[in-house]
Amino acid sequence: MTIKDLAIKTGYAVGTVSRALNGHPNVSEKARTAILAAAQECGFQLNQNAKQLKQIHSTNILLVVKGTRNDLFAEMIEAIQGLVAETPYQLAVDYMDEDSNEVLRALRLIPEKKPLGILFLGGNTGNFAENFAAIDVPCVLVTSDASQLPFENLSSVTIDDRQAACEALELLISLGHRHIAVIGGDPAISDTSRLRMDGCLDAFRSRGIPFDPEKSYRAVRYSYQGGYEAAQDLLSQGRSFTAIFAAADVIAIGAIRALAEQGLKVPEDVSVMGVDGLPLGSYLVPRLATVRQNVRDLAKRSLQVLLAAIEDSAPARHEIVPYAIVQRESIRQK
Amino acid sequence: MTIKDLAIKTGYAVGTVSRALNGHPNVSEKARTAILAAAQECGFQLNQNAKQLKQIHSTNILLVVKGTRNDLFAEMIEAIQGLVAETPYQLAVDYMDEDSNEVLRALRLIPEKKPLGILFLGGNTGNFAENFAAIDVPCVLVTSDASQLPFENLSSVTIDDRQAACEALELLISLGHRHIAVIGGDPAISDTSRLRMDGCLDAFRSRGIPFDPEKSYRAVRYSYQGGYEAAQDLLSQGRSFTAIFAAADVIAIGAIRALAEQGLKVPEDVSVMGVDGLPLGSYLVPRLATVRQNVRDLAKRSLQVLLAAIEDSAPARHEIVPYAIVQRESIRQK
DNA sequence: TTGTAGGCGTTATCAT
DNA sequence: ATGATAACGCCTACAA
């Protein structure tokens, strides 16, 4: 079943059928209803291969997701899908490995999807600095800051990771903790990890608390196992800390497990705080204290910025959206 | 950059370029290396739209995933991707809403992707009974049993959900529990839910333990919140049970939270057991007892069955893969 | 408003 | 082994 068949069936020409199906103007009401009805009847669907092959500009917005096993991104994707559904655009989601180059990936996808704009969920500014120049459609980098990059078509929407980490640490400090271990990502690899680590250092410095990264910082993958192993390692040096700050909720969960295996209770013996605000955290016992990224907000602002760039040729913007310090059962006064 | 450009650049005709790029026979070694080198040099990539538009048979295997937010499936997808990477085939993953019709979805995808075979991750046999007849490529339904369906091109690979639930219940019973509440999916909607519920009933019956579904069974969505609300509801009727069997780990986690809010500890006051064997479960405190579905096994067998059907025209098979009862900290002797 | 026809980049079928 | 060429299904000028 092709539009040619539909044309024969309805008595119109393929051009008219195509226009009707795509909601173009210059189609009589009569033709439109007849064609749409016929299409409906046979469950007809345009062949996307042919469509995208021919189209100059698609009506696609491309969502490039870096990291397939990331609960925060999963939530965000759902939110973005919901929002895009209310627009005349189509969302094409592309999942990629956490350690491949998202910009190069986008570059290969562009001639195929011909997107009007691209949303990057996660990304490394280094990759952008190196390869983004070849991309000429409006883009938004979500969850990282691109304001330092010299690209006129690259916006960004993120929380202030550095300040968020700093504020989380300040909460722990204000609860009386002085010896705080930090488990995060590798600051050499991920911008976010570096910023969150810097935020921690800011807090220690401003409060005049000494912090030796060598002894109290561990760089791991954002995973349960990463948090688990890091906490084990920290504990193997003797428990000098009364609190752990984890740069992600999943890390915190792994760390809590490691503590439990040493007979340490949360929060009685050690306070633990994460980042992200995953739904899971509020079901754990104890509920996990965290820095919540407002998923809906992040999604909404990102799409708004992108659509403004696409529809109104608005210049690039670099937005900081608010986060929320969520004080819950896993932390307490020392 | 198209194969036409490549043809000009290398001095060969487009046909030869296409054949070389696709590893067809009847291409001289000289031509192949020259063309591949040129392609490499310009970072050339075939346009998938054009390719799939023209191809009679693709080299695609289609993976239709029902439910976007399902940790078990996420694991399985990863496993399948890894396995397919070792074959000459390409995996095309399609995610869909939990409550849309996976068979109809596949039906629309076929003319576009022209897959050699389809793997359904999750699915409702009702939908298959109704619409599968129109699909003529080999298919495998994973995590549900299709042996009762009259289709020669539909295989299935699953655990024995009924026996698994029964065995889990028997474990709880052998630990001395007599009043066990069950939280599962809606047996009217999902095959898996019905089978797991039936398994529970089997266990109660064979042990001569009375069970009133009205009072002790709750049907919810497979989510933290579903488990949480169901447990709250059960508790609101007074705590007559000493154990909860949840038909999914996520449900169990939600239920544990609800128990905690009533001051009930797991496993001291109530034992809780789930199903799936998510990695998360082994990091929780207490570690979650569960029925583990062996993801790698499920993935491997499914793909083997599909490839046998594709490559050797093997008849449909209906495989039952083993599960494992994982006794962990969240359950104990009553 | 509608019809016609050319071409998007590729594969596949012919010849050569 | 290679080259030329007709599709694949659709969109989009352009003509009517």
Side-chain angles (χ1 to χ4, degrees):
Chain A
M1 173 66 71
T2 72
I3 60 170
K4 209 168 166 182
D5 300 317
L6 258 190
I8 293 168
K9 188 179 164 101
T10 59
Y12 288 93
V14 288
T16 308
V17 174
S18 172
R19 284 184 290 260
L21 255 24
N22 287 291
H24 285 210
N26 295 334
V27 179
S28 69
E29 203 44 57
K30 185 176 156 217
R32 167 167 291 120
T33 52
I35 291 167
L36 258 36
Q40 179 82 41
E41 187 192 329
C42 347
F44 173 78
Q45 251 207 169
L46 287 171
N47 183 313
Q48 295 299 321
N49 291 319
K51 177 169 183 160
Q52 298 192 35
L53 176 58
K54 180 60 187 174
Q55 266 175 338
I56 311 282
H57 294 298
S58 71
T59 152
N60 285 336
I61 287 175
L62 182 58
L63 176 59
V64 176
V65 184
K66 187 165 181 173
T68 48
R69 301 273 295 267
N70 182 320
D71 285 348
L72 182 72
F73 286 178
E75 271 190 86
M76 202 107 67
I77 294 166
E78 213 167 74
I80 292 173
Q81 273 171 329
L83 291 171
V84 172
E86 297 169 6
T87 72
Y89 305 103
Q90 314 264 281
L91 190 69
V93 186
D94 182 71
Y95 296 85
M96 54 176 299
D97 208 69
E98 190 154 2
D99 25 46
S100 6
N101 186 315
E102 65 280 3
V103 182
L104 293 180
R105 174 67 161 249
L107 232 22
R108 345 214 76 170
L109 252 24
I110 288 175
E112 227 155 78
K113 302 282 187 190
K114 302 187 179 84
L116 291 168
I118 306 176
L119 245 25
F120 288 91
L121 209 42
N124 186 292
T125 51
N127 293 335
F128 279 79
E130 206 147 332
N131 304 302
F132 187 79
I135 295 184
D136 57 357
V137 294
C139 296
V140 179
L141 175 55
V142 190
T143 71
S144 277
D145 175 38
S147 63
Q148 300 312 308
L149 262 28
F151 302 113
E152 306 213 329
N153 57 330
L154 179 61
S155 301
S156 61
V157 177
T158 178
I159 62 168
D160 185 334
D161 282 295
R162 182 167 184 164
Q163 192 192 316
C166 179
E167 209 173 310
L169 260 288
E170 281 176 345
L171 171 58
L172 290 172
I173 293 169
S174 75
L175 288 173
H177 296 281
R178 289 296 173 271
H179 298 282
I180 303 173
V182 179
I183 309 176
D186 188 338
I189 293 177
S190 129
D191 303 321
T192 304
S193 300
R194 184 175 40 71
L195 288 169
R196 291 183 186 167
M197 177 173 170
D198 287 346
C200 295
L201 299 180
D202 291 347
F204 287 125
R205 195 175 315 115
S206 78
R207 298 299 189 108
I209 298 175
F211 181 77
D212 175 11
E214 197 67 38
K215 183 160 166 287
S216 303
Y217 187 90
R218 288 294 176 279
V220 299
R221 287 187 77 89
Y222 283 50
S223 66
Y224 302 125
Q225 186 64 21
Y228 178 72
E229 289 172 1
Q232 277 191 327
D233 185 41
L234 287 166
L235 287 168
S236 72
Q237 308 182 158
R239 178 168 67 91
S240 54
F241 50 85
T242 62
I244 293 178
F245 173 68
D249 288 346
V250 289
I251 292 178
I253 292 168
I256 290 172
R257 176 70 220 172
L259 293 170
E261 291 181 3
Q262 297 298 315
L264 297 171
K265 307 193 86 172
V266 175
E268 291 81 351
D269 301 313
V270 179
S271 287
V272 177
M273 184 162 182
V275 176
D276 279 345
L278 300 184
L280 169 60
S282 68
Y283 292 96
L284 295 175
V285 183
R287 283 180 195 267
L288 183 62
T290 189
V291 180
R292 179 187 293 133
Q293 309 215 42
N294 187 327
V295 167
R296 275 208 59 86
D297 232 48
L298 225 36
K300 196 164 156 188
R301 295 303 302 141
S302 302
L303 193 60
Q304 281 176 345
V305 168
L306 186 66
L307 293 185
I310 292 173
E311 297 172 350
D312 311 326
S313 307
R317 297 176 54 99
H318 299 280
E319 299 217 356
I320 304 294
V321 300
Y323 54 84
I325 299 289
V326 184
Q327 186 162 0
R328 288 198 290 218
E329 300 155 3
S330 69
I331 59 176
R332 67 149 62 164
Q333 191 82 35
K334 189 208 148 191
Chain B
M1 173 66 71
T2 74
I3 61 170
K4 211 169 166 182
D5 300 316
L6 258 190
I8 294 168
K9 188 179 164 98
T10 60
Y12 288 94
V14 289
T16 307
V17 174
S18 173
R19 283 185 292 259
L21 255 25
N22 287 290
H24 285 211
N26 294 336
V27 179
S28 68
E29 204 42 58
K30 185 180 154 215
R32 168 166 291 121
T33 50
I35 291 166
L36 258 36
Q40 180 81 40
E41 186 192 328
C42 351
F44 174 77
Q45 250 206 167
L46 286 170
N47 183 311
Q48 295 298 321
N49 290 318
K51 177 170 185 154
Q52 297 193 33
L53 174 59
K54 179 60 188 174
Q55 262 176 338
I56 312 278
H57 295 297
S58 72
T59 156
N60 284 338
I61 287 174
L62 183 58
L63 176 59
V64 176
V65 184
K66 188 166 179 172
T68 48
R69 300 272 296 264
N70 183 321
D71 286 347
L72 183 72
F73 285 178
E75 270 190 88
M76 202 106 68
I77 294 165
E78 211 166 75
I80 292 173
Q81 273 171 330
L83 291 170
V84 171
E86 296 169 7
T87 72
Y89 306 103
Q90 313 265 280
L91 191 69
V93 187
D94 181 71
Y95 297 85
M96 54 176 299
D97 209 66
E98 190 153 3
D99 26 45
S100 7
N101 186 316
E102 65 280 5
V103 183
L104 293 180
R105 174 66 162 248
L107 232 23
R108 344 214 77 169
L109 252 22
I110 288 175
E112 227 154 80
K113 303 282 187 190
K114 305 188 178 84
L116 291 168
I118 306 175
L119 244 25
F120 288 92
L121 208 42
N124 186 292
T125 51
N127 293 336
F128 279 79
E130 207 147 330
N131 303 302
F132 188 79
I135 295 184
D136 56 358
V137 294
C139 296
V140 179
L141 175 55
V142 189
T143 70
S144 276
D145 175 38
S147 63
Q148 300 311 307
L149 262 27
F151 302 113
E152 306 213 329
N153 56 331
L154 179 62
S155 300
S156 61
V157 176
T158 177
I159 63 168
D160 185 334
D161 282 295
R162 182 166 182 164
Q163 193 192 315
C166 179
E167 210 172 309
L169 260 288
E170 281 176 346
L171 170 57
L172 290 172
I173 293 169
S174 75
L175 288 173
H177 296 280
R178 289 298 173 270
H179 299 282
I180 302 172
V182 178
I183 309 177
D186 188 337
I189 293 176
S190 132
D191 303 320
T192 304
S193 300
R194 185 174 40 70
L195 289 169
R196 291 184 186 167
M197 177 171 171
D198 287 348
C200 295
L201 299 179
D202 292 347
F204 287 126
R205 197 176 314 116
S206 78
R207 298 302 187 105
I209 297 175
F211 180 77
D212 175 12
E214 196 67 39
K215 182 161 164 289
S216 303
Y217 187 90
R218 288 293 176 281
V220 298
R221 286 187 78 88
Y222 283 49
S223 65
Y224 301 125
Q225 186 63 20
Y228 178 73
E229 289 173 1
Q232 277 192 325
D233 184 43
L234 286 165
L235 287 168
S236 72
Q237 307 181 161
R239 179 169 66 94
S240 53
F241 52 84
T242 63
I244 293 179
F245 174 68
D249 287 345
V250 288
I251 293 177
I253 291 168
I256 290 172
R257 177 70 222 172
L259 293 169
E261 292 182 1
Q262 298 298 314
L264 298 170
K265 305 193 87 171
V266 176
E268 291 80 352
D269 301 313
V270 179
S271 288
V272 177
M273 185 165 182
V275 176
D276 280 343
L278 300 185
L280 169 61
S282 67
Y283 291 95
L284 295 175
V285 183
R287 282 179 195 268
L288 184 62
T290 188
V291 180
R292 178 188 294 133
Q293 310 215 42
N294 187 325
V295 165
R296 275 208 60 86
D297 231 49
L298 225 36
K300 195 165 155 186
R301 296 303 302 141
S302 302
L303 193 61
Q304 281 177 345
V305 169
L306 186 66
L307 292 185
I310 292 173
E311 296 172 352
D312 311 326
S313 308
R317 297 177 53 99
H318 298 280
E319 299 217 356
I320 304 294
V321 299
Y323 54 84
I325 299 287
V326 184
Q327 187 163 0
R328 288 197 290 218
E329 301 156 2
S330 69
I331 60 176
R332 66 148 60 164
Q333 190 82 35
K334 188 211 151 192

